[in-house]
Every structure is written in structure tokens, then in C-alpha cells.
Amino acid sequence: MSQTMTGGCLCGAVRFTAAPANHEVGACHCSMCRKWTAGPFLVLDCADTMKIEDTSNLGVYRSSEWAERCFCKKCGTPLFYRLIEKNMHFVSAEAFDDRADYALTTQVFIDEKPAYYDFANKTHNMTGADVFAAFAPPQAGQG
């Protein structure tokens, strides 16, 4: 297991600990993530290690039958995307207090990435169909 790290939202109302599997950042270009974060959502895979100190300011938006997007109710910071059935958390890379040694390694929903931006890094790229095949429960839609 990876080292537990601390993090939180912009205003500090939501604080958490999580143990990312590694410091490999993934970028999601799906239309929902881009609308939610005003750009690609950059995340670390924290599996089921996410622990929120006080959930009273944690907002939860159920974006599909199988996924939730969680944010601070006070300042609006997008914090993580959760696959409900698998209890997998993809936590905003920028929400962690220590962001040393990150490497952008993966881009998902590459087929939905707008033409107006590109990352220079060489990454593993997955289309939306690839992502659903790898992570979605049977007969799930986009989330």
C-alpha cells in the first residue's frame, strides 16, 4: 500500500486522507469532467483508501447510476470521482497538500478531448469505450 497523504478543498472545510496507489496522474477528458472542473480532471487513483474527516461540508452529485462526483459545499472545489459499486476514488491531484513527484501517465476519454488543447507528455490513452470496458459495471452508461 502507498503512503497516506492529506488534502482538502480550497477553503479547508473538507479535509481528507487517502493513499494513492502511486503518483501517476490520469487526465479525464469526458464532457462531464470538463464541465465539472472547467477543464480535464486530473486525478490520482486512491482505490478505497479515502477517509473524509468531517462529511458535513461534502457535497455529493450522483452523475450516473454507478458514479458520484464529490465536492466542497462551501467553496465548490471538485474533490473526487467515486465508482459506487467498487468504492474506487479518483481524487483531484491538486487537492493533495503535497504534490511532489507527480507524473502524467494516462489520459481517458481521449476521443472526447477538445482540439483546443494537448498535453506534451507521452501517455497511455484510452477512449470512452476502453474506459467502460475496464471499469463500468455491466450495462452501465457514462457517468
Side-chain angles (χ1 to χ4, degrees):
M1 174 157 283
S2 212
Q3 178 183 4
T4 299
M5 297 171 57
T6 59
C9 65
L10 182 63
C11 73
V14 177
R15 297 289 302 162
F16 64 83
T17 59
N22 51 50
H23 286 198
E24 295 179 359
V25 175
C28 183
H29 302 286
C30 82
S31 60
M32 282 197 229
C33 279
R34 286 185 291 111
K35 189 165 285 239
W36 186 41
T37 66
F41 191 36
L42 304 175
V43 299
L44 295 176
D45 179 357
C46 294
D48 62 354
T49 66
M50 174 68 95
K51 293 188 179 25
I52 307 294
E53 290 178 12
D54 176 2
T55 61
S56 64
N57 287 305
L58 184 68
V60 177
Y61 173 68
R62 184 101 181 227
S63 57
S64 72
E65 292 178 22
W66 59 292
E68 298 174 329
R69 295 166 190 277
C70 299
F71 57 93
C72 174
K73 290 193 283 189
K74 285 193 172 192
C75 67
T77 300
L79 294 168
F80 59 91
Y81 175 87
R82 176 173 42 216
L83 295 175
I84 299 164
E85 187 175 299
K86 297 180 181 184
N87 195 32
M88 291 180 65
H89 297 79
F90 296 93
V91 182
S92 170
E94 291 301 311
F96 286 99
D97 298 327
D98 180 5
R99 294 177 296 281
D101 303 321
Y102 281 1
L104 178 64
T105 61
T106 306
Q107 296 183 67
V108 297
F109 288 92
I110 196 70
D111 51 328
E112 292 188 30
K113 184 190 76 56
Y116 68 84
Y117 69 81
D118 284 306
F119 293 123
N121 311 56
K122 282 195 172 243
T123 60
H124 173 72
N125 295 337
M126 298 173 72
T127 65
D130 296 335
V131 173
F132 288 124
F135 297 106
Q139 300 185 343
Q142 184 175 342

